[in-house]
Amino acid sequence: MQKRLLLFAALIAFSAPAFSQKFFTRDAKVKFFSDASMEKIEAVSKSGTAVLDAASGAMEWKVLIKGFLFEKALMQEHFNENYMESSKYPDATFKGSITNFSDLNLSKDGAYQAKVKGKMKIHGVEKDIEVSGTLTVGDGALKIFSEFTVKCTDYNIKIEAAKVANISNDIKITVDATLNPMKKGN
Amino acid sequence: MKRIIYLLLAVAFAGGAIGYYLWNKPHVDMQTAKADLAIDAAALFNEYSADETAANAKYLDKMIAVSGKVKETTKAEDGTVKVSLNTGSDFGVLCELDPLSKHPRSEFTEGETVTFKGNCTGLNFDVQLTRCVEVK
């Protein structure tokens, strides 16, 4: 009986490596940049969340639209009221997974190129997207960095003809996050 | 005729001045801004957990003063300070200190009761508040 208990304990101990774990952050930095001929616009949120399942490579991201801070108050107002309608659509989300997950070894320190595929939801519109990024394993944490472009027109974000020189249809998004093993009370 | 030209010039100037003012309109001064309402951290979190849509209708984009006990303070490499207020749940009310305000302190002791004033941006695991300043 005792042997069996021991065996059971050993099984539990060995079957729970870093692999079967979820990684989490509430400090993901999400930045976007619009580079139109007349004007450059930039905003950042430092409170995005991300959960990554280290067993499957599945991930979920979420950022609150009203949490984006702009240099100019007026831009922030227009962004929320005219373009993102953030009272109606308070967040942007991404749900997807790493498609080349077998090329990555999350139990070994190092930097890996990750390809991610999934559903991006912005302004209430959901789109399939594919992006790539760097996933760096080190100090027990996963660092994720990615840069990609989304089109306003893909998410039904309307830019009036008069603003075309001020706001680009192509918005560059930068995601920079360090995910730590999820623990209770995180 | 001259009068009309002067008038037009005045209108153009006023228009330009208003445009310029709006363009450079500063962000709300969080130190002097008045909170729309005050609430306990646990009560706010519970309302969000129960019905996010209803809570958003009430609190989203409102300047609220939230009181609670400090659970954790984190400081990012770029200097961003976040204080998590205990709600008795795994997640809480996460207050991000305002990067545009001067803060008398950015260290908070676990368990101490504090009040932060900030903009409620919604639910993302925690209820998040941006541009927070401590209210004494």
Side-chain angles (χ1 to χ4, degrees):
Chain A
M1 182 62 195
Q2 267 207 336
K3 240 186 203 171
R4 209 180 272 180
L5 261 176
L6 252 164
L7 191 72
F8 186 62
L11 259 176
I12 287 178
F14 287 106
S15 64
F19 274 96
S20 64
Q21 209 163 29
K22 283 194 169 149
F23 285 75
F24 174 72
T25 183
R26 52 163 52 127
D27 304 312
K29 228 185 258 183
V30 181
K31 209 191 283 185
F32 71 77
F33 183 60
S34 153
D35 190 0
S37 57
M38 293 267 289
E39 204 172 343
K40 295 184 194 325
I41 302 170
E42 194 177 39
V44 64
S45 161
K46 292 172 180 173
S47 294
T49 59
V51 184
L52 186 142
D53 183 341
S56 66
M59 54 169 79
E60 281 188 28
W61 298 74
K62 179 171 171 177
V63 63
L64 297 172
I65 304 303
K66 287 189 190 291
F68 280 98
L69 297 181
F70 289 67
E71 190 198 334
K72 295 215 182 288
L74 192 69
M75 278 182 184
Q76 194 165 317
E77 221 173 276
H78 288 172
F79 167 77
N80 280 294
E81 288 167 12
N82 306 352
Y83 300 105
M84 296 299 282
E85 299 175 84
S86 60
S87 293
K88 206 161 145 196
Y89 311 110
D91 52 39
T93 56
F94 174 81
K95 271 182 207 182
S97 56
I98 301 172
T99 52
N100 63 334
F101 195 57
S102 54
D103 301 341
L104 280 59
N105 184 357
L106 298 191
S107 59
K108 194 171 168 245
D109 285 4
Y112 304 92
Q113 283 304 313
K115 290 194 177 95
V116 176
K117 206 172 167 176
K119 289 186 186 309
M120 178 78 92
K121 195 174 184 183
I122 304 173
H123 190 228
V125 180
E126 199 172 75
K127 274 258 164 202
D128 286 311
I129 67 160
E130 247 183 292
V131 301
S132 54
T134 318
L135 195 154
T136 311
V137 182
D139 296 329
L142 303 178
K143 207 172 148 23
I144 294 174
F145 183 86
S146 177
E147 248 177 13
F148 53 93
T149 303
V150 297
K151 286 185 187 303
C152 290
T153 40
D154 280 350
Y155 297 92
N156 200 21
I157 298 163
K158 294 193 182 79
I159 299 162
E160 319 87 292
K163 293 277 186 191
V164 166
N166 302 83
I167 306 167
S168 169
N169 187 43
D170 293 325
I171 307 292
K172 191 171 96 184
I173 298 182
T174 311
V175 175
D176 188 355
T178 303
L179 284 69
N180 289 299
M182 201 170 192
K183 52 179 196 281
K184 224 179 144 59
N186 222 341
Chain B
M1 186 61 195
K2 237 185 192 170
R3 210 184 265 176
I4 292 175
I5 290 174
Y6 280 140
L7 195 70
L8 280 176
L9 273 174
V11 167
F13 181 77
I18 291 170
Y20 185 78
Y21 169 76
L22 281 177
W23 173 244
N24 284 298
K25 183 176 78 165
H27 284 279
V28 172
D29 182 345
M30 295 304 285
Q31 302 283 2
T32 55
K34 210 173 155 338
D36 295 314
L37 57 108
I39 189 169
D40 180 67
L44 179 66
F45 183 78
N46 289 340
E47 276 195 51
Y48 261 101
S49 306
D51 188 343
E52 187 181 343
T53 313
N56 268 337
K58 251 169 108 175
Y59 302 113
L60 198 60
D61 221 13
K62 291 272 179 354
M63 197 173 302
I64 54 179
V66 185
S67 304
K69 282 194 164 68
V70 174
K71 186 180 186 183
E72 194 188 16
T73 308
T74 59
K75 193 167 186 175
E77 281 171 25
D78 64 6
T80 306
V81 176
K82 291 184 191 177
V83 184
S84 175
L85 301 181
N86 207 330
T87 58
S89 148
D90 278 354
F91 294 97
V93 175
L94 191 61
C95 306
E96 186 183 321
L97 295 198
D98 182 23
L100 305 176
S101 296
K102 280 210 174 82
H103 301 279
R105 61 168 182 158
S106 58
E107 309 270 341
F108 302 89
T109 318
E110 193 187 327
E112 77 169 300
T113 303
V114 289
T115 302
F116 285 107
K117 179 170 68 178
N119 286 328
C120 181
T121 58
L123 183 69
N124 192 358
F125 290 94
D126 304 285
V127 176
Q128 294 185 350
L129 265 72
T130 54
R131 300 206 57 209
C132 290
V133 292
E134 192 183 5
V135 182
K136 287 278 184 191

